[in-house]
Amino acid sequence: MAERMLQFVRLEQRQPEKRDADARASDWNEVYSKFKATEAADQSSRCSQCGIPFCSVHCPLDNNIPDWLKLTAEGRLEEAYEVAAATNTFPEICGRICPQDRLCEGNCVIEKGFESVTIGAVERYITDTAWENGWVKPPTPLRERPESVGIIGAGPAGLAAAERMRMRGYQVTVYDRYDRVGGLMIYGIPSFKLEKDVVLRRHAQFEAGGIKFRLNCAIGQEISLTELRARHDALLIATGVYKARNIEVPGAYLAGVVAALEYLTTSNRQGLGDAVPEFVSGALDAAGRDVVVIGGGDTAMDCVRTAVRQGAKSVTCLYRRDKANMPGSMREVKNAEEEGVRFEWLAAPEAFLGDGGVTGVRAVRMHLGLPDATGRQQVEPISSSGFTIKADLVIKALGFDPEDLPAMFDEPALSVSRWGTLKINHRTMMTDLPGVFAAGDIVRGASLVVWGIRDGRDAAAEMHKFIEMRGKSLAVAAE
Ligand code: FAD
Ligand code: SF4
Ligand code: SF4
């Protein structure tokens, strides 16, 4: 091992090739290429095989990173894939879109002076190679069980739970109000970060493994929660968060002021080949327009970069804090800058201008004041610092809140927090309704795909325990 590993002293960190900014701004393909076999082996061999691997400690899935790096360095890729897949339903997706700089790679101990191991790119390489070689198998159980589980929501949390329950032998049905599987992985995240085939091929595998999908089926409308509870031995609510936060300034309801997810969903649908009237009519198409995006998170970065690809005349991002305080991934900010997006840091909108349709944004400069109770510096407007930016499309990317779930499901007994997220017992992952569990963004608030997978995996373990315990109690009662 010693010879093959610990190569960080000899080999420099290399990321997979990144396409030129001009080339990538003119298509919708992913920005980063896949490693070549020798690159993946070399980069994996930089790992020093830590006794306490901080990369794994800071991976929400506790991935066994040192083991799959070693196997990759040795060219044992099928085994590397098996290790990666043991803890992760979507290693190829996390390899592409996890903010590795804040998670595994950001905590790699060889960071200082030598730069971390490129863990995400290797994870993607292993799993893409597994797909090419037919090593990725449908989730089929060794033994079927008669009990069934219902899962509401086909995003990463719901799908991770579905996979785990199916592998335990349960009859699994996933319900989703959309017409495609994947949640925000299909309709939120743009294809230049995550190509859609990567999500669609997983859907096909799940179906091949016997997971049933009922799409275009909004729970609370088509089927009630009560009916679903009667149908299944356990239920999981994994419905995500979708209510866009608004900004109450004059002109907020002018035509041309739109919500980020509406804009991104339309663009993703268009890319998937759907006929989307909002795109055809031009209402949600940035081509030839001056676009201003309000916000500084990953959703805002996805909007600015989508607008670039749609052929916008200009794209400006308005964020009320500075670059160092942006919530989004620095990698995505850098990509946006390279693609020609202009950033107005420390600036917030005061009004959207126009008569009927938006024509501009009046903004004010901000400065960072004293920290609040959470330690985050407060932003305060600077008087007489107003300025105007031309805009005929304004996209609001200010974050998301949960919909009113007790009302949606007509189930007042479902407790929610003051932010509207579902309350669960964090040990059992069960809501106040016996046999009804919850996972993902609807519990955490807007988060990450990798946390959705983690929650789905944990919820599956708890649903399994619940069904087993109930079976045992019934058996005792029958004696
Ligand atoms: P979701 O993915 O939201 O899935 C919930 C599903 O439930 C949806 O399919 C929805 O249709 C369905 N549903 C809702 N209500 C009902 C109902 N009543 N009946 C039936 N079905 C219902 N994370 C990252 O890790 N990396 C990124 O780069 C990244 N980029 C992002 C970009 C954007 C634009 C956005 C919005 C989010 C991004 N995220 C990213 C966050 C990530 O996508 C989410 O944290 C994750 O998808 C949450 O998973 P989930 O399964 O809880 O919910
Ligand atoms: Fe890193 Fe995400 Fe993979 Fe974990 S799942 S190893 S955090 S890229
Ligand atoms: Fe390897 Fe870095 Fe993880 Fe240590 S922290 S095991 S060097 S990847």
Side-chain angles (χ1 to χ4, degrees), residues 59-61 63 65 68 88 94-95 98 100 103-104 119-120 123 450:
C59 165
L61 298 170
N63 279 346
I65 298 165
W68 45 256
N88 193 349
C94 292
C98 266
Q100 286 102 11
L103 301 171
C104 52
I119 299 167
E123 190 177 23
V450 67

Side-chain angles (χ1 to χ4, degrees), residues 47-50 53-55 66 69 107-110 117 119:
C47 169
S48 63
Q49 299 284 286
C50 304
F54 283 99
C55 53
L69 287 173
N107 290 282
C108 170
V109 293
I110 61 167
V117 178
I119 299 167

Side-chain angles (χ1 to χ4, degrees), residues 39 44 194 473:
E39 290 169 332
S44 300
L194 174 60
S473 328

Side-chain angles (χ1 to χ4, degrees), residues 140-180:
T140 34
L142 290 176
R143 179 177 75 83
E144 293 289 345
R145 298 182 59 126
E147 302 96 334
S148 82
V149 293
I151 292 175
I152 313 171
L159 293 177
E163 184 213 34
R164 297 283 146 160
M165 290 307 270
R166 184 67 196 124
M167 283 164 79
R168 287 184 172 97
Y170 290 99
Q171 310 308 309
V172 180
T173 306
V174 182
Y175 302 84
D176 202 291
R177 61 184 174 188
Y178 283 159
D179 55 348
R180 286 191 179 88

